[in-house]
Every structure is written in structure tokens, then in C-alpha cells.
Amino acid sequence: MRFTLNGKPVAVDAPPMKRLLDVLREECGLTGTKEGCGEGECGACTVLLDGAPVNSCLVPVAHAEGAKVTTIEGLRGHDKLQRAFVTEGGAQCGICTPGFVVAASTLPRGASLEAVQEGLAGNLCRCTGYAGIYRAVAAARGGGKSAKKKAKR
Amino acid sequence: MKTAASALHLLRPESPAQALQWMRERAPLQPLAGGTDLYVALNFGTCPARAFLDLSRLGAWRGIKVERDGGLRIGALATFAEIRDHKGVAKALPALCAAAREIGGAQIQNRATIAGNLANASPAADSAPVLLAADAVVELVSVSGVRRVPVAEFFLGYRRTALQPDELIQAVVIPTPPRAGQWYFRKVGTRAANAISKVVFCGVRGPQPRIALGSVGPVPLRARRAEAALAAGEPVETAVAALQQDIAPIDDLRSTAEYRRFVAAGLLRQFWERTASPVRRPVRRR
Amino acid sequence: MASRARAGNVGRSVPRLEGPEKVEGRARYVDDLRFPGMLHGRTIRAPHPCGRLRAVRLGPGGLPLGLVVVGPRDIPGDNVIATIEDDQPALAWGEIRHAEEPVLLLAHADREALWAIPAEVDMIPGTPVFDPLASPRVFKQIRIAKGDAAAALRRAPVVVEGEYRTGAQEHVYIEPQGVIAVPENGGITIHGSLQCPYYVHKALCRLLRLPPDKVRVIQVETGGGFGGKEDYPSVIAGHAALLALKARRPVKMVYDRGEDMRATTKRHPSIVRLRSAFSRDGTLLALEAQVVMDGGAYVTLSPVVLSRGVLHASGPYRCPAVAIEGRAVMTNTPPNGAFRGFGAPQTLFAIEAHMDRCAQQLGIDPVKLREKNAFRPGDVTATGQKLPKDTAALPVLREAVRRSDYHRKRIAWAGTGRGIGLSLFFHGSGFTGAGEVRLASKASLELTPKGVRILVASTEIGQGTRTMLAQIVADTLGWPLSAVEVAPADTGLVPDSGPTVASRTCMIVGGILQKAARELKRKLGRAKPAQYLARHGALVVTGQYEKPAEIQWDEERYRGDAYGTYGWGCDVVELEVDPVTREVRPLKLTAVQEIGKAIHPGLARGQVEGGSAQGLGWALSEEVVMRDGRMANAQLTNYMVPTTKDTPEMDVTILGLGYRHGPFGAKGLGELPMDGPAPAVVNALRHAGFDVREVPATPERLLRCASR
């Protein structure tokens, strides 16, 4: 099985139905991608498959063949976002963080708070209440303001 | 993963013809598209299948086409992300975009396909009520040819469909432009996002009102009695009473029959109230 | 090292020490580690909630070569998980008390082969007890009495009573439980995701019959705990260690989400009955509380959870006559255990939901009723504790009411489907009563050529322990943060600083470290670390907990100073109820919390935001569905923790009145934010027209509760 992993061609010998998650962690030694649930709920295993965030616990490695796979280890050009997760309180225990950072890296710049919430609704965090994550995304990529008119109070 | 991956076989056809031939000759094969349902079962060790047919290389079954008559032809392998972002779908059938947006998070929408949502035949399939209300047709294909089955006849029972063992879904067709009438869609889930539906409701108000629901019976269903009551000009409360005959919700892990009946009735009222004015309202998402 | 650099790390949000590893995917959690020759472990569990175990059969079919099997007879020491009592076996035999109870252990190098082995557990099922009110076995009973509550209730002009229930809650740390046991040096080393290395150490010495120096427990990066990794790691580490010792190879045992949810602890479900007496002007005259906590099948930590529960049961209110009776009882469900708040969220839910009902009945505004009765400095609690100057019930209440514009919204939203409600709460910092004296925690500082190394068993589980302790030490020494490093929480290196629980790490362990740092500074004099080491050799200074003289506690009579001090909080929740679906959408949470001093304001804010979100989940959507004693919704698809779209905007204000025995004035914080959201939610629902007295307040439950 050949694919491009974090910009470099790789060939792995794995059963085609093996989860991409397991191939990355076991065959490729990239343990930054985490397993939180094995059912596509928590997003801790998020990687980019041809640029789109997917849950690698639900992807057979066969579907990575010929594709570009990007993991947290290979995320380039998002140093600012990663630093902001540290300084703004976006990372506490850190187990969900790689998935959040990878998913957040695909959000458009200047996204409204609602767009950020929508884009990250497939990632669960149990430590932060998400507030620190919104601050981190806003600090690194601008936006983060609510697009909704303030509800009449 | 509880299932041993090394014991699983994957056939990877390059063309629909090859896929259909293998479905006939190498049965039983479990078709695999986005894998968002199958892999949950594999991870839990509850998927009985050991041989899979990978549909990912069947380019002909991808894509979404707006037909000249305004209808839509949605390839079996169209993902909910594609449907969600497709301008043609947004114009012709915005309720389907709304449903797509509420299926899991971005990660799921990038992988899950419309055919998978139908073939999996969950009573909670979020796209099904929209397709039911749109009188959509599923194109089933085998080496013997193509069958066109209305979505309303596709679901036979709990997790059972009209698919023959050697058949695959190649497309979902919305034959007529569905814009006549005002649309209403609402998913009531277990939480605000990334949720399984407790009740999904899709209604279109036109000369013949069409109403479809999910999670209120063994299959996604059309509420024919309620539709008839509304078509006959009966008061909405008569239709609400009829709706209770149409549905057969149960208590399960996610909700109660009592709640589902209450919500289904409330959504029918809301549908009728919101579509009362001739001004077309945007599809309500919450 | 620039030892003359100006101090001033405390009170500043410096970057957390382990942050870069986490955001770059370099941080290594237990499942990321591999050891040569490592096997994978699997636990065979009981299928029924009670009965007698007859046999465990593996197969049919040949078993894979190299399979390691461990049963009760393979246990070298005592077959118990040593915590408070010795009732819980590591591997059950004979009597089974709960479904999922471990009965046999397997290990194999090939994980696929391991999980393919069919296993049948043959039991004679018994008759289980699931209703805590019908339980025949009481694990612990506690009574607190002040004045004559019964008499006051008889005489009072207004008496309000009610029953309040809370459900179990699953921790959902995103990293499930996991350890690796490595047999080495004639003993065992555990690498694990855990909160309390010395708890595991103690349990393993007992189980494996090994002397303390042959058991080493190393905490690796831990993906969340919330109390769930306080007690349970002793079980899973015990299992992995038994397998590893028999196999003579390292064994990794990492649960998947389903096993974690079905088999490990939950927050204790509770039933609290309250009766309170008031004068007509709303002065609280007496309170009677009956607290029942469902302990599950074994004692585990239930007595202490109950203790914290009853000690918070009368809420932050002055009351001349109080009678509290609490029981933790057995049911045939997996043992319930520690979860952020540890009994207090349950009883505070009851009293705070009750207070709004009292206000309603008295015709008094809920804020006024609280202002009238809230503790002031110098007031005396139910156990007879005279409250110190940093008692902040009124300041937090007033600030939260002001910030949230509570009064205006309360009027403006009447009848609109929106609601606003608040809760006033407090949380004792550190162990209850004489607990800290018994723990006698130690913490050390070791001089390094560049500065100093902190040696503590307190664990970093996301809350920022390492950073916060380093700030305390750096500022006490007057050194820059870069001069302070923190050793791994490894029982081979660090002294027993007590468990990382009970909101005690900053106040207690931070305090010990501050003392040690002063001592180190004195010894060092004007010498730089490298100079000192060259002249005198190694220097390790160890501090130990010393009880402030004025803290007195009588464990027998439950009288005296239950806690050294308390944190204070007021939460205001604004929400909207969908009239068609009864779905509750929280719009905003305003949290004002007094914690003495925020050593690291950013981390403190993170604790409040995260704890509040967890509290909102418990209040609204997190429901453990039990069927025949088993968790039926043991998946993240069906157990609903809040997503981004379920979590409202949060306005967090941290106040600090200072605590004279805390480092730089700090008190405990971690649990406080968990206490407020649930009662604030039901009080907001009451404002919106729903009389709900149970959480989670799901739409299904709102449909059933009579609309007011």
C-alpha cells in the first residue's frame, strides 16, 4: 500500500481493511493520532485525507492508497495555531488536542464563532469546555466573533 | 479494533461492471463505501461480514447532477459534505443540504455517502425523510439490469431493504423538480450536534402535502394518514391525530415512545404553521 | 541561571510546561508506548449482576500458543483491591456482585488472536438489588447534628420539603484507562494513565505480596482523569501486573471505550430528601437532610464520597438547627467512585434546587433569600466550624447577579420560554477533617546545577499541576521559571505527596513546596546552585504537611473544622426551552468563583470553564442507562457529552480573598466549578415554567414533569 504521508511517499505492508489509525500508529510509528472511542464520535483520531478531515478509526488503509495523508506530526504552517492552543488554554490533558488542531487547521481564516463551532462539532473535549479552543483559533486565525445578532435580552 | 483486520478480505473493483459481477459470483459480499457505519461495527466486533467489496474506485457512481427538468441525480457515492456544499442541491432541495449538515461532524460528512445512509437502513437515517418527502427513487443495479425503486418502497423492515444480495445502489434520483410547495425540515437529536436523531421530520406543503419521518418506527416512513387529512383540508389537529396512527415509536436508549409521539405531533403543527404563508421560508435547522 | 531575575510568575498566565509536546503530537500517552516482548491483556468479565461463579470456559477451539491465563489462584498476595475496606477482589471467585466483574485475565502477543478467543462465564444468577432505597447493605452511615432541628421544624411557620435526585455520570476522559506492567528487578514497574501513583503502589504491594521497593509506579502523560483515574487504576494495574509477573513479559492493558464505560466507576447516583423551616421573613431556622448515595457493589471510596456529600448538604447557609443523616449503600452495579466534586455536587444540587422552591413558597426573590441566609465570616457551620475571613458567599453572589443582569432578565423573560437561574455553593479544599493529617504528605526539592527540581507525586492530568507548582517554587525562591524543573511522578523518584484529588494539589502540596523552597533558600544562602553542589554535594529538602494549629476535627462526632477552608462560587445559567421539543439550549453561563488566589489565571479559568461544561452535561444530557445492572449506552454515540454546539458562552470571573495557610493565598479549585451548573440549570428551568427536581433534565424528563 503506497500513499503520501506528511509529504513523503511511504509504502506499508498491511491488510487492506486495517484501520488507517492503526497503520499510522503501529506501522508508521506516528502516535500523535489518538483513539478515543472507535466509533467516529470524539475526533481524537482526526487526520487529513487529501486535505479533508476524517476519523482515521473509520477508514480502511486501502482508502489511503494513492492519497495524501496528513497527521499532527506533519501539519506544516500551523505553528501559530499550535502555539495558541498552549497560550490560550486550548489544550489541557492534551489527548484530544491533535485531533482538534488538525480539524481546526482546515477552518477558513476569520471564521465566525458559529462556523468554528460547526467545524469542530465532530471533536469532543472533556477538559476545556471548548472556550480555550475558540480563543486559540481566534488568536491564530482571526474571527471568532459571533455572527449572530445578540439575542434580545 | 475488536474484529481481526487480517482476517478480512477486500475486493476492489475498478468498474461498476466488475463490481456487479463480483457481487453475483463471490457472494456474500458486504459493500463498503465511506465505512462510517461499517467500521463502528468492526471496531465493536459486531460486524458478521468477512468479505467486503470496495466501492471507492467506482468513479461513475460519484457526483451530483442537476437534470434538465430540474430534478437531481445523486451518485451513490456522493458524500454528505458534497451534498451539503452543492449549489444545485441547495437550490432544488435545500432540505437535503440541511439534513447533510446534521449528519455527524465534518469528519463524518467527508466520508459518509448517501447510498450508505440508505443501505444501512437505520430508522434514524437523517437523509431518508427528505428523500421520502421528495418522492425520490433509488436505482438498484445488478448484472441483470437496473431497477428503480421509490424510496418509500425501499425500506422493508427494521434494517431490511429491497436490495437483493447481488444488487448495489448506483444513484438516488429526485425525478421532478421538488420546488413546488414549501419545505420544512427538522432533526431532533440527542444533542445539538453530532447526534443520532430521536425524531426527524420533513414536510412539503403543496397541493398534495407530503410528510416523512425518521426514528418513529422500524423504518423511515411517509405519514400517509396525516397527509390525507391535510390534503382533504381537515384541521391540523385531525392530521396530528392521524399522524399518531402513522407512526409506531418505541422506547430505546435514546428516547421514549411518549416523547417521540409528542415531538412528532409538535413538529407537524410547526410545519403547518410555518408553511402557512406563501412566502418561502428558509429551512429551519433547529 | 539568572538568580537575581525579578520574581513574579505567580498570578501570571505563563505558557504551560508540557504544552508544546501536546499540540505537536509528541506527548506520549500509555497506548503510545511499546516495550520489547510486550503482550496485550484482556479481562474476562461476569455477565450477570449477581450470583455465584461456577466456571470460566475458554474456547471452543484451540487456544493460541503462548496464551497466558491468570485466575484468582495465581495471585501471590491478597486477592483484594486495597482501598478503604478489603471487600473488593481483584478477581472474583465464588460470589459475583456486579456485571462486568473481572473473573479471569488473558494475555497474548497478538491482539487479534487474544480477542478472538471465545470465553464463557458460567454463573448461577442471584436476585440483584438495583434500587438504593431497597438495599439491604449499608456501607457507611454518617450523622451530623446541630441544635434541635426536629423541634424547630415542628414550630416553624413555613416548612418546605422535597426530594431531589441525580443520576450517575461517566467521566469520559478522552483517553480510556490503560497501563503497562513491566516485570523488572524482581518486582514490577507500572507505566500508567493515573492520578495517584501511591494508591496504585499500595494496592500492588498487597496484591503481589511485594515489598515497597519492588513496586514502582510511573505516571505517564494522562489524557484526563476527573476522579476516574483515582481509584480504578489500582484495579487495571493489578490485572496487568498479575499477567506480567506470570508471563515474565511486559503486558499492556488498555481498555476500549465500551469496556471503560461498562466496567469502570461512575459518579454516585443520589437521592436527597430535604425539609427546611423558615420564619415568614425567610430566615432559615432548621434543615433536615437525608442523603442516600448508591455505592455500587463494593465499598471503594463511597464512605469518603458520602462524607463530602453530607458536609456540603446544608449548603452555604447559616442555620441554627441542622440534622443530616447520610447513607452509602450497596447495589449490584459496578462500584461508583471518585468524580470531580466527590459527593458535593449531589447534595449541593439538592439544597440549591430546594432553595429556589423555598423562595417560591415564601414569595421571596431567590437572590434575597440567599443573601439573607448565606454564610458570613464568623458564622458557624453544621459541624460547628467557625468560618474564616475569606468566606465569600456574598461577594460571589452579588458579583454574579450583577454581571449576569439577573434581576432584569428574571422579570423580562417571564413567560417567554427563556429562563435564568442561579446557584450558590462552596467546596471544602483538601481532604476532609483529619484526612490531611493522616496523609502526612511530603514533597521535595532537589538542587540541580541550573536550579531546582520538584519531586512530587502530584500528577499532571491536564489541570496544569507542573506549571502551577513550578510557579510557586520559582517565586518563593525568587528565581525565573526556567530554573525550575518537575520530575516525573514516579514512585521510584518522588515522595508520597498524597493523591491528586480533592482540590488539594495547589493548596496543600503547593504549600508544602513553598515551605521546602524557603528552607532550601535558607540553606543555600548567597551561593548559586552549582557553587553549593560543588562545595557541599547533593541537596534535597523535603517538606511535610503540618496542620495549622487552629484546625480541629472530631471524626467520631463529626464536629469541628471539616475543611481548612472553602472555595466559593455562584453560577448563573440562562437557557431557552424549545416549546415543541422541550430541548433545553443553554445560552450563557456566568461563573464567579473565589479561590483565594489564582496562581495561574489562565489555568484557573480553564478549570472553571471545563468543570462548568462538565456540570452542564450532567445537568442536561449525560444519562447512564442501566439495564439489568449493565450500562446499556456504553458508547459515545449514546452517552451524550456536550459538543461545541451544546456548550454555551461562559463568562468567568475569579475572585481571590486569600487564605492565610495557602501558598500565596491559594485555596483549592478543581472541583468547585462542578458544583454549580446543575442546580442553576433546574432553577432556570423553574423560571421557565418547569418544576424539575432531577438531573439530567432531558427533554423526556421535562415532558413528564408537571408544568408549573
Side-chain angles (χ1 to χ4, degrees):
Chain A
M1 207 75 65
R2 289 169 187 283
F3 57 96
T4 304
L5 177 57
N6 295 333
K8 291 190 191 113
V10 292
V12 296
D13 183 19
M17 288 292 281
K18 189 161 180 170
R19 302 183 299 178
L20 178 58
L21 170 67
D22 296 329
V23 171
L24 293 171
R25 291 176 53 84
E26 293 165 13
E27 257 77 21
C28 307
L30 297 180
T31 56
T33 306
K34 309 297 183 189
E35 176 165 7
C37 67
E39 48 180 322
E41 284 288 319
C42 76
C45 66
T46 301
V47 301
L48 303 182
L49 188 62
D50 285 331
V54 300
N55 294 312
S56 62
C57 75
L58 302 182
V59 177
V61 66
H63 283 184
E65 190 166 29
K68 288 195 184 91
V69 177
T70 307
T71 70
I72 184 70
E73 291 91 346
L75 205 61
R76 306 231 186 281
H78 293 284
D79 308 11
K80 202 174 162 191
L81 180 67
Q82 286 166 308
R83 268 201 311 278
F85 264 77
V86 179
T87 54
E88 299 296 328
Q92 286 192 26
C93 84
I95 194 82
C96 73
T97 308
F100 265 101
V101 171
V102 170
S105 75
T106 66
L107 295 171
R109 291 198 168 275
S112 67
L113 177 62
E114 289 78 13
V116 173
Q117 288 173 328
E118 182 100 25
L120 299 180
N123 295 76
L124 294 177
C125 172
R126 195 60 161 165
C127 292
T128 63
Y130 306 105
I133 292 169
Y134 304 151
R135 284 194 291 272
V137 173
R141 308 174 69 84
K145 296 261 168 19
S146 177
K148 275 189 238 157
K149 270 181 269 166
K150 277 270 173 191
K152 243 189 170 178
R153 297 264 158 94
Chain B
M1 183 158 97
K2 287 272 165 63
T3 312
S6 58
L8 304 177
H9 302 283
L10 183 66
L11 293 176
R12 308 197 68 193
E14 300 283 348
S15 69
Q18 194 175 29
L20 296 173
Q21 201 183 338
W22 282 347
M23 281 299 282
R24 169 77 51 98
E25 290 167 3
R26 307 205 184 174
L29 286 177
Q30 169 64 55
L32 167 71
T36 52
D37 281 317
L38 272 182
Y39 263 83
V40 174
L42 288 167
N43 283 335
F44 290 170
T46 55
C47 178
R50 289 297 173 265
F52 297 80
L53 183 87
D54 179 24
L55 306 178
S56 68
R57 292 174 173 173
L58 310 184
W61 291 357
R62 295 191 176 281
I64 300 166
K65 211 168 118 195
V66 182
E67 303 286 8
R68 224 170 301 158
D69 66 356
L72 292 171
R73 183 181 175 83
I74 302 173
L77 300 176
T79 64
F80 285 109
E82 291 170 74
I83 292 168
R84 178 194 68 202
D85 298 337
H86 195 275
K87 289 204 173 74
V89 180
K91 206 172 153 205
L93 193 53
L96 192 59
C97 296
R101 195 173 292 121
E102 294 205 40
I103 294 175
Q107 292 92 328
I108 296 292
Q109 289 160 18
N110 283 331
R111 295 281 300 165
T113 64
I114 192 155
N117 203 219
L118 293 175
N120 190 43
S122 161
D126 290 327
S127 68
V130 180
L131 298 175
L132 279 165
D135 281 330
V137 171
V138 194
E139 282 189 4
L140 310 182
V141 58
S142 72
V143 284
S144 312
V146 177
R147 290 199 295 146
R148 290 182 177 80
V149 178
V151 175
E153 292 162 31
F154 178 75
F155 301 112
L156 301 181
Y158 181 71
R159 301 251 174 201
R160 279 198 307 120
T161 69
L163 275 164
Q164 293 297 311
D166 63 348
E167 279 182 323
L168 293 168
I169 298 172
Q170 70 172 10
V172 177
V173 176
I174 291 125
T176 48
R179 56 176 91 90
Q182 296 172 68
W183 283 74
Y184 169 94
F185 171 82
R186 188 161 174 198
K187 168 175 170 171
V188 178
T190 42
R191 63 184 165 204
N194 211 0
I196 311 272
S197 63
K198 293 175 179 175
V199 180
V200 203
F201 187 107
C202 188
V204 52
R205 185 166 186 170
Q208 292 292 321
R210 296 195 298 275
I211 295 164
L213 296 98
S215 294
V216 291
V219 295
L221 50 87
R222 279 280 287 271
R224 305 279 183 192
R225 292 180 184 88
E227 287 178 359
L230 293 173
E234 301 277 1
V236 69
E237 286 310 315
T238 308
V240 166
L243 178 69
Q244 299 298 338
Q245 305 286 309
D246 286 319
I247 63 176
I250 56 165
D251 289 351
D252 64 12
L253 287 176
R254 298 171 191 132
S255 190
T256 61
E258 176 197 25
Y259 178 77
R260 289 175 159 125
R261 286 193 178 277
F262 172 81
V263 168
L267 295 180
L268 177 57
R269 288 187 197 102
Q270 189 170 64
F271 156 58
W272 208 241
E273 201 181 286
R274 296 224 168 132
T275 53
S277 100
V279 185
R280 194 169 154 168
R281 282 170 165 272
V283 173
R284 187 180 148 85
R285 292 215 18 250
R286 192 194 137 80
Chain C
M1 192 203 71
S3 67
R4 294 285 151 223
R6 197 180 66 85
N9 296 294
V10 166
R12 269 197 318 123
S13 296
V14 302
R16 62 185 307 150
L17 299 183
E18 81 295 354
E21 287 84 1
K22 285 177 176 171
V23 298
E24 289 163 16
R26 288 186 286 116
R28 294 284 178 143
Y29 298 78
V30 67
D31 202 23
D32 304 338
L33 304 176
R34 276 197 262 186
F35 287 80
M38 189 176 81
L39 309 181
H40 296 277
R42 176 183 165 191
T43 312
I44 308 298
R45 300 178 179 280
H48 301 294
C50 76
R52 293 205 70 78
L53 181 66
R54 263 203 299 226
V56 185
R57 281 184 282 274
L58 300 179
L63 298 176
L65 214 63
L67 180 71
V68 180
V69 181
V70 163
R73 272 179 227 162
D74 295 305
I75 296 174
D78 300 330
N79 184 3
V80 295
I81 304 295
T83 40
I84 294 174
E85 306 233 336
D86 285 347
D87 63 337
Q88 185 183 15
L91 288 173
W93 52 281
E95 186 194 8
I96 299 291
R97 283 209 212 164
H98 67 87
E100 309 299 338
E101 188 156 9
V103 294
L104 194 75
L105 304 168
L106 308 179
H108 196 267
D110 180 346
R111 209 169 34 189
E112 288 191 345
L114 177 70
W115 284 98
I117 299 167
E120 192 203 340
V121 179
D122 185 3
M123 277 178 69
I124 309 168
T127 310
V129 178
F130 298 133
D131 178 4
L133 296 178
S135 170
R137 199 181 313 207
V138 176
F139 287 145
K140 174 83 177 176
Q141 185 170 35
I142 300 172
R143 287 179 204 277
I144 296 172
K146 175 189 180 190
D148 189 346
L153 276 156
R154 274 196 306 276
R155 284 195 302 268
V158 182
V159 172
V160 184
E161 48 183 294
E163 182 182 288
Y164 307 88
R165 290 178 180 241
T166 63
Q169 186 182 22
E170 164 58 38
H171 304 85
V172 195
Y173 26 64
I174 302 295
E175 178 205 31
Q177 303 269 356
V179 300
I180 300 170
V182 183
E184 57 189 11
N185 309 324
I188 197 87
T189 300
I190 298 290
H191 303 258
S193 176
L194 46 92
Q195 288 176 231
C196 313
Y198 275 96
Y199 277 8
V200 176
H201 186 267
K202 177 186 161 196
L204 260 53
C205 289
R206 203 52 207 285
L207 181 73
L208 307 176
R209 203 179 300 275
L210 284 172
D213 63 329
K214 293 291 180 197
V215 175
R216 182 174 173 192
V217 180
I218 304 168
Q219 185 229 7
V220 296
E221 203 71 74
T222 295
F226 317 115
K229 292 171 185 171
E230 171 175 353
D231 38 351
Y232 200 84
S234 296
V235 178
I236 186 171
H239 290 166
L242 289 168
L243 284 165
L245 286 178
K246 184 156 181 192
R248 296 186 189 162
R249 286 167 75 172
V251 172
K252 177 189 274 190
M253 200 160 227
V254 175
Y255 291 168
D256 68 9
R257 180 60 59 186
E259 184 172 15
D260 191 291
M261 293 180 94
R262 278 188 299 271
T264 75
T265 57
K266 310 271 175 286
R267 181 186 300 287
H268 288 65
S270 75
I271 303 166
V272 178
R273 287 185 181 143
L274 296 176
R275 282 179 78 214
S276 55
F278 291 89
S279 66
R280 295 217 182 274
D281 71 350
T283 305
L284 180 61
L285 303 173
L287 180 76
E288 209 176 74
Q290 286 177 310
V291 178
V292 176
M293 300 229 178
D294 179 349
Y298 293 104
V299 173
T300 65
L301 296 168
S302 292
V304 229
V305 171
L306 178 70
S307 170
R308 189 172 280 270
V310 295
L311 287 168
H312 290 78
S314 47
Y317 302 109
R318 45 188 359 178
C319 183
V322 182
I324 299 167
E325 191 252 347
R327 275 178 295 150
V329 302
M330 192 211 76
T331 60
N332 291 106
T333 51
N336 292 310
F339 194 146
R340 192 180 210 163
F342 209 72
Q346 290 93 320
T347 53
L348 285 166
F349 169 76
I351 185 72
E352 282 305 282
H354 186 71
M355 282 305 263
D356 267 40
R357 289 189 52 239
C358 296
Q360 209 173 358
Q361 205 151 318
L362 288 157
I364 295 176
D365 174 80
V367 174
K368 288 225 173 65
L369 185 68
R370 286 178 173 85
E371 276 182 339
K372 193 176 217 15
N373 295 294
F375 279 137
R376 275 84 166 157
D379 278 346
V380 176
T381 68
T383 61
Q385 176 171 13
K386 190 169 176 230
L387 288 168
K389 276 195 294 213
D390 54 282
T391 297
L394 286 177
V396 295
L397 175 64
R398 286 176 180 149
E399 181 62 9
V401 166
R402 189 190 68 77
R403 288 189 75 86
S404 63
D405 202 7
Y406 175 91
H407 288 299
R408 192 186 61 76
K409 289 173 184 168
R410 193 84 181 167
I411 294 163
W413 291 2
T416 63
R418 284 195 174 189
I420 182 166
L422 59 73
S423 61
L424 182 64
F425 49 97
F426 66 152
H427 199 97
S429 303
F431 262 39
T432 301
E436 292 297 344
V437 176
R438 272 199 301 273
L439 280 175
S441 300
K442 290 179 188 157
S444 304
L445 291 175
E446 179 186 13
L447 201 63
T448 66
K450 283 183 178 167
V452 68
R453 190 154 84 126
I454 296 175
L455 305 173
V456 289
S458 304
T459 50
E460 167 69 60
I461 55 170
Q463 78 287 47
T465 294
R466 285 174 209 162
T467 309
M468 172 270 295
L469 292 179
Q471 286 176 286
I472 290 172
V473 168
D475 275 20
T476 307
L477 291 167
W479 294 356
L481 202 58
S482 56
V484 183
E485 38 175 325
V486 187
D490 170 352
T491 60
L493 297 174
V494 301
D496 186 355
S497 318
T500 303
V501 303
S503 311
R504 66 184 292 279
T505 300
C506 178
M507 182 175 105
I508 302 285
V509 183
I512 301 168
L513 279 174
Q514 190 179 35
K515 238 174 22 182
R518 286 188 187 128
E519 171 73 11
L520 183 91
K521 200 173 174 181
R522 200 183 52 76
K523 288 204 165 150
L524 212 51
R526 288 164 170 269
K528 290 188 173 164
Q531 293 170 334
Y532 185 96
L533 289 170
R535 270 182 231 148
H536 306 284
L539 174 63
V540 176
V541 177
T542 298
Q544 186 161 17
Y545 176 76
E546 282 169 46
K547 181 178 76 70
E550 74 265 25
I551 300 179
Q552 298 296 335
W553 176 248
D554 178 346
E555 182 80 34
E556 289 301 304
R557 294 166 53 237
Y558 257 68
R559 302 296 300 160
D561 303 312
Y563 299 94
T565 190
Y566 299 83
W568 302 86
C570 182
D571 282 355
V572 182
V573 165
E574 300 166 39
L575 51 76
E576 189 171 52
V577 185
D578 187 299
V580 173
T581 65
R582 303 273 160 105
E583 289 170 287
V584 178
R585 192 156 69 97
L587 302 168
K588 188 176 177 183
L589 181 136
T590 304
V592 178
Q593 314 207 338
E594 194 282 324
I595 60 165
K597 164 85 182 173
I599 302 295
H600 186 301
L603 291 174
R605 180 182 185 179
Q607 285 298 297
V608 177
E609 289 165 342
S612 299
Q614 225 163 32
L616 288 171
W618 185 50
L620 287 169
S621 62
E622 295 183 32
E623 181 149 41
V624 174
V625 181
M626 298 297 285
R627 284 189 185 155
D628 198 23
R630 302 180 85 215
M631 184 173 180
N633 57 337
Q635 305 146 31
L636 292 189
T637 312
N638 289 324
Y639 180 81
M640 307 318 289
V641 299
T643 68
T644 50
K645 293 177 82 177
D646 299 273
T647 310
E649 173 193 352
M650 291 187 264
D651 174 26
V652 173
T653 304
I654 305 236
L655 303 181
L657 299 193
Y659 168 53
R660 68 191 181 98
H661 299 300
F664 299 94
K667 306 178 183 177
L669 166 61
E671 297 170 291
L672 180 67
M674 185 74 216
D675 294 333
V681 161
V682 299
N683 291 339
L685 285 170
R686 176 168 303 283
H687 183 226
F690 295 91
D691 177 15
V692 50
R693 306 179 193 183
E694 182 173 4
V695 288
T698 57
E700 287 78 5
R701 205 157 266 145
L702 289 192
L703 181 61
R704 292 225 160 150
C705 81
S707 204
R708 202 160 35 106

